[in-house]
Each structure stands twice: as structure tokens, then as C-alpha cells.
Amino acid sequence: MELIYGKDVADILTKEIVYKVSALARENKRLPKLAIVRVGEKPGDISYEKSAIKCMEKCGIEHVECTFSEDVDKGVFLSGFKKINVDKNIDGILVLRPLPKDMDEAVAGKIAPDKDVDCISHYNMGKLLAGEKDCFAPCTALAVEKTLKYILDKKGESLRGKKVTIVGRSTVVGKPLSLLLTGDDATVTLCHTKTVNLARECAAADILVAAAGSAKLIKEEHVKEGAILTDVGVNMDENGKLVGDIDLFDVGDKALFATPVPKGIGAVTTTILAMQVLKARMMHE
Ligand code: NAP
């Protein structure tokens, strides 16, 4: 089994982004800019914010951090959010969710569709469902799609006709990914906690995507010989170690390719975010 590190995929994308951002700089044009909206001090949010900032800096993309206290009044928060939303110098907005209280829905309903770089609005999700290309899909789902294309490219193959099973049906990962891969002509099965025989559904797949958030859920019995495995899960095991949804030790050499956790899909996600901010900047020309 060959391990596919996210950095290898991210490096290719970064090169492309840097090239395009440098072209804007050479022409003395405004550089792309991301606003990161955070409420409170959740360690997971802070850690994602840090890696997003590091990635933007690497790509030459500007950023601004818009941080609110955990107990911020909803009205105060929404008026702060409105300023970012209408600021012509900001191309994309990343909202670290879930937000406290009922602010999530309010923000998803108010975010400008052309700045919604992580697809939290129904507008972009609807466009994704309709198969329209000029929308923003969620970054993690796109990261999986890009990684799969990178792996298949190594084999001289494409997603067309491949049987893909996705474990997890969230609106952030599983569902949008099923739409993207269907658009790539794959045949997609979407599994969840009520799936009757998870092992059977998984073992029938050429490509298995685990996005359940359940440590080491996927074992050897879930994997078809020669399959490609991508692991989106981020979990702590009983020893406090970061692990994915796939037990790669148990799977052994049954799979052909697999993405590890850490250093797998997560490393691609922030680069996709940079790609989306650049796309938004081009829309704001
Ligand atoms: P979520 O909203 O909790 O959804 C989990 C999905 O998995 C649900 O659809 C659930 O089914 C299904 N599921 C859970 N346990 C299962 C089981 N034992 N068998 C079958 N299906 C099961 O989680 P999420 O936001 O999609 O995130 C999933 C994982 O990805 C988490 O570990 C998260 O930390 C990680 N993540 C990583 C990135 C990244 O960039 N690497 C980004 C986002 C999320 P039901 O619908 O039936 O409940």
C-alpha cells in the first residue's frame, strides 16, 4: 500500500496559486484577501485558523482575523459580520463553525454568495446540486476530490465509472462530495449510521472515503482488494493520539493507495481554501 501525503497534492496546487497571485502583483492589481471569522477560543478553531493563515501567507494571499468573544451579543456580532460582508477589499470569508447560539443560520443566510468560499450558504449548495461550475463547494469535499484525481492520475485513470462509497452524509463533507464525484461520472453510495451492512457497501467500492468521525471504524473487512482509501476523519484514540477513521494497520496491503491521518486530507484543505479565495478575487475583477 502506498501512502499519499496531502502535502504532495497541496504543493502542486500552491505552485499554481502562487503563479496567479504573482501575476496580479506584477500588474499592480489588488491581492486576494480572506477574512477569518471566529467566535470564542475553541482550540480546534484556533488551530485551523493558524494553519489557514500559514497557507494564505505561503500563497501570497492577504488575510484579516475577525475575532469575537464567546459571549458576544448576536446583534453586535451580526453588525460586525455585515461590515466584512460588504467590504470591497475582502474576497472570501471563512467562518469557523459551529458558532454559538443561533448565529450559524443567521450567518449562512447573510453571507455574500460571491465571498462564501467554504459553501455555507444554501445558494452555493443549491448551485452545487444543480451541477453549476461557478459556485463554491465546501473546501474539505473539494480536497478529497482533488486528492482522488491526483491518485488516479498516477494510475492513468479517472473517476469515470468508478464505484465510490462515502461513509458519512454531513453537509460539510459526505453530501457535497457525493455531488462532486457524481459530476465526475463516478457511481456513488452514501453510507451513514443507519446503513444496514456497512462492510458490504464499503467492500464493493473501488474508492472508499471515510468521513464519519469514528476512530478506526474501517477495518480490513471493509476494503476491496486494490482499493483507494481516503480518510477525512480526525479523532483522538484512547492514548490521545490523532487518528483517522481507517485502521490502516488492520487493512494492511489490501488497499493500493491510502491517505494517512495526520498529514493527509487536512493538509490539502487549507490550500483549497486559498484556491477558492483566488477564485473569488477573479470574480471581483
Ligand atoms: P458529522 O457532521 O458528525 O457527520 C458524521 C457522519 O458520519 C454522519 O452522517 C454519521 O451518520 C456518519 N457516521 C458516524 N459514525 C458512523 C458509523 N459508525 N457508521 C456509519 N456512519 C457513521 O461529521 P463531519 O463534520 O462530516 O466530519 C467527519 C469527520 O471529518 C470528523 O472526524 C471531522 O473532524 C473530520 N473533518 C475533517 C476535515 C479535514 O479537512 N480533514 C474537515 C471537516 C471535518 P448519521 O448521519 O446517520 O448520524
Side-chain angles (χ1 to χ4, degrees), residues 158-164 181-182 184-188 206-207:
S158 75
L159 279 158
R160 179 173 296 174
K162 291 282 186 296
K163 278 173 80 80
V164 182
L181 300 183
T182 303
D184 294 322
D185 297 327
T187 304
V188 181
D206 305 312
I207 295 169

Side-chain angles (χ1 to χ4, degrees), residues 140 167-170 173 192-193 198 211-214 217 232-235 266 269:
T140 306
V167 186
R169 58 174 164 181
S170 75
V173 193
H192 44 80
T193 55
L198 185 68
S214 178
L217 170 71
V232 183
V234 179
N235 319 285
T269 305

Side-chain angles (χ1 to χ4, degrees), residues 10-27:
D11 282 350
I12 296 171
L13 301 173
T14 303
K15 236 185 210 171
E16 211 178 298
I17 300 165
V18 168
Y19 177 78
K20 290 180 178 163
V21 173
S22 310
L24 287 172
R26 270 198 307 277
E27 292 164 25

Side-chain angles (χ1 to χ4, degrees), residues 5-17 58 147 150 267-272:
Y5 292 95
K7 186 181 180 304
D8 295 341
V9 183
D11 282 350
I12 296 171
L13 301 173
T14 303
K15 236 185 210 171
E16 211 178 298
I17 300 165
K58 203 168 168 186
T147 304
Y150 170 85
V268 187
T269 305
T270 46
T271 311
I272 294 286

